[in-house]
Amino acid sequence: MSMIINSLLCLIALVAVGSIVYKVSKAAGYRFKLLIALLFLVHYSAFYFNWSINSEINKDSLRFFTNSQQAHTIFDLSFVGSQFMSALIYPLVKLGASYFSLSFVFASFSFIGFLKVLEHLMSFSNRFEKGILSILLFFTPSLHFWTAGLTKEAVIFPLMTVVFFKTLGIRVSSLMLVVSMVLLACIRPYLSIILCFSLLCHYISAESDKQRLIRKTFVAAVLLVFGFFLSTYFIGVEELSVESFKNRYNEIVVYTQNHGNSTLSLDKTNFLERVGLVLFRPLFFDASTFSQIIVSIENLIFVMVLVLFLIDLVRHKIKLYKNIFLWLCIVSLLIFYSLYMYNLGLASRMRVMFMPYIYLLIFFSYVPCDKIGQSKST
């Protein structure tokens, strides 16, 4: 029975990926087909490393699987937060699904997300040369490592893609958007709150009807207040007072001093230093392992692309892409992570939440505004 379930899961994943690859590449040029082949190679190579490494250490990915195995019923697991992934895979685990087959299914799900992004970006073929650097940023190994396996990021990346496509006016059903938001709320509540608020602000900025504008503004305000109280619950603040927030922050500082192989002291770094950590580190001067050296190369490439992008911006060769949704998400997440980020490995992982949005912002800045809404191939 176990062999049948695992074979079936892998077959379904392969058929889903194969059918979508065939559909998007059928009328594609050689450059697009080459990028699809490169994407497949990078992503599933990352899947192998993700699976093999996590099979040997008891980190989140393997813990999701073992928690499902050990639970007597699905109600022993939480449906919000760290245990949601265990609850999500619980039925399949009890049917005999292995850690490998589940990792493969989740890696394939995220691969489809990357493929749809690539398809949409490549639809602007007349701007291919200008946007090539930002497209290639989607091939960075660490981005695929964190999304190619039984991880939260493997689910989050495609769902965030769905939300962004909605802001472009691409055909995304309301049901798909709601399901995406609900799943994001279950996996990382703070992320769904930021996305919902940013999406509402995006629609408010484009609203011309005064009554609808008032209603949407009210909903955004309610959501912001609700998000604040929900966030205080999840970070463990007992009461709404300055002292309570200070005590909780001090607890986090103490925790960070004893966890992680490459920790950074929160009380000895300021906010701007942690912004630099979240965006650009590790770099070569603080890389001590092979994986950190790889990430350092990625960060160096990103810095180079960012410098070239800023030069083009200053020289007025391009216009900054003014998508309020993207900007609010990037800035909000960057501030949020910079408040507590204490570990180089965690910083690399959390970049999955906002770096793809930065890549999209860079890419669409090279595309004329009147062209962005015309391509709706996704």
Side-chain angles (χ1 to χ4, degrees), residues 28 65 232 250 306 345:
F65 181 74
T232 59
N250 290 332
L306 192 60

Side-chain angles (χ1 to χ4, degrees), residues 212-255:
R212 291 177 65 183
L213 177 61
I214 293 172
R215 286 198 299 268
K216 288 182 177 180
T217 304
F218 175 75
V219 172
V222 170
L223 185 63
L224 185 62
V225 173
F226 173 73
F228 173 76
F229 284 104
L230 187 64
S231 298
T232 59
Y233 169 77
F234 276 102
I235 65 177
V237 175
E238 296 178 356
E239 59 181 43
L240 294 179
S241 66
V242 175
E243 192 64 30
S244 183
F245 278 98
K246 283 183 178 179
N247 290 337
R248 183 54 184 154
Y249 185 77
N250 290 332
E251 290 175 7
I252 295 173
V253 170
V254 173
Y255 174 86

Side-chain angles (χ1 to χ4, degrees), residues 29-153:
Y30 77 94
R31 291 182 297 190
F32 189 13
K33 290 178 180 177
L34 184 63
L35 286 177
I36 291 174
L38 180 61
L39 180 67
F40 186 90
L41 177 64
V42 170
H43 192 76
Y44 283 98
S45 296
F47 154 71
Y48 173 77
F49 285 109
N50 184 299
W51 169 76
S52 59
I53 291 172
N54 283 297
S55 296
E56 299 174 359
I57 56 176
N58 189 29
K59 294 295 184 180
D60 283 353
S61 181
L62 185 59
R63 201 174 296 142
F64 297 147
F65 181 74
T66 54
N67 286 344
S68 292
Q69 282 185 316
Q70 294 168 2
H72 297 294
T73 69
I74 194 171
F75 299 105
D76 292 336
L77 303 166
S78 173
F79 289 89
V80 178
S82 59
Q83 289 191 353
F84 174 74
M85 291 292 290
S86 299
L88 186 64
I89 63 174
Y90 177 86
L92 293 173
V93 170
K94 292 306 178 182
L95 286 173
S98 67
Y99 177 62
F100 176 87
S101 62
L102 288 170
S103 297
F104 186 79
V105 168
F106 277 79
S108 298
F109 180 67
S110 64
F111 176 80
I112 292 171
F114 280 104
L115 189 61
K116 300 304 283 185
V117 170
L118 184 61
E119 178 191 15
H120 186 69
L121 298 187
M122 287 300 296
S123 65
F124 301 96
S125 57
N126 62 319
R127 289 280 169 166
F128 179 86
E129 288 74 15
K130 280 287 186 181
I132 183 64
L133 291 176
S134 52
I135 289 178
L136 291 178
L137 288 172
F138 282 96
F139 292 81
T140 51
S142 65
L143 181 60
H144 289 271
F145 177 82
W146 293 117
T147 57
L150 184 55
T151 63
K152 292 180 181 181
E153 290 74 23

Side-chain angles (χ1 to χ4, degrees), residues 196-374:
C196 283
F197 181 73
S198 301
L199 192 61
L200 274 170
C201 290
H202 172 81
Y203 286 130
I204 287 171
S205 68
E207 187 60 72
S208 56
D209 185 272
K210 186 173 290 187
Q211 288 187 344
R212 291 177 65 183
L213 177 61
I214 293 172
R215 286 198 299 268
K216 288 182 177 180
T217 304
F218 175 75
V219 172
V222 170
L223 185 63
L224 185 62
V225 173
F226 173 73
F228 173 76
F229 284 104
L230 187 64
S231 298
T232 59
Y233 169 77
F234 276 102
I235 65 177
V237 175
E238 296 178 356
E239 59 181 43
L240 294 179
S241 66
V242 175
E243 192 64 30
S244 183
F245 278 98
K246 283 183 178 179
N247 290 337
R248 183 54 184 154
Y249 185 77
N250 290 332
E251 290 175 7
I252 295 173
V253 170
V254 173
Y255 174 86
T256 60
Q257 292 172 349
N258 303 309
H259 290 79
N261 297 323
S262 48
T263 57
L264 298 165
S265 176
L266 287 178
D267 57 350
K268 294 181 180 178
T269 56
N270 58 45
F271 178 75
L272 289 179
E273 286 177 310
R274 292 196 292 276
V275 170
L277 162 65
V278 173
L279 278 173
F280 307 118
R281 292 178 63 186
L283 286 173
F284 295 103
F285 65 87
D286 55 7
S288 57
T289 66
F290 177 74
S291 60
Q292 288 180 2
I293 292 173
I294 297 297
V295 177
S296 294
I297 296 172
E298 295 177 6
N299 291 339
L300 180 61
I301 293 172
F302 172 64
V303 169
M304 292 168 62
V305 172
L306 192 60
V307 169
L308 292 173
F309 169 72
L310 292 174
I311 290 173
D312 282 345
L313 203 59
V314 170
R315 291 180 176 178
H316 302 289
K317 290 185 177 181
I318 58 174
K319 288 186 177 181
L320 192 62
Y321 183 43
K322 297 177 181 178
N323 183 305
I324 291 178
F325 170 78
L326 274 186
W327 276 103
L328 279 175
C329 285
I330 292 169
V331 173
S332 299
L333 288 169
L334 188 57
I335 292 173
F336 180 81
Y337 291 133
S338 299
L339 289 173
Y340 77 92
M341 193 56 63
Y342 62 91
N343 184 283
L344 295 177
L346 185 62
S348 175
R349 182 176 180 179
M350 290 301 105
R351 283 193 194 106
V352 177
M353 302 300 101
F354 64 89
M355 287 303 275
Y357 277 2
I358 292 180
Y359 303 159
L360 289 169
L361 190 150
I362 293 173
F363 176 85
F364 283 112
S365 293
Y366 284 96
V367 180
C369 295
D370 60 330
K371 301 291 183 182
I372 293 174
Q374 294 179 7

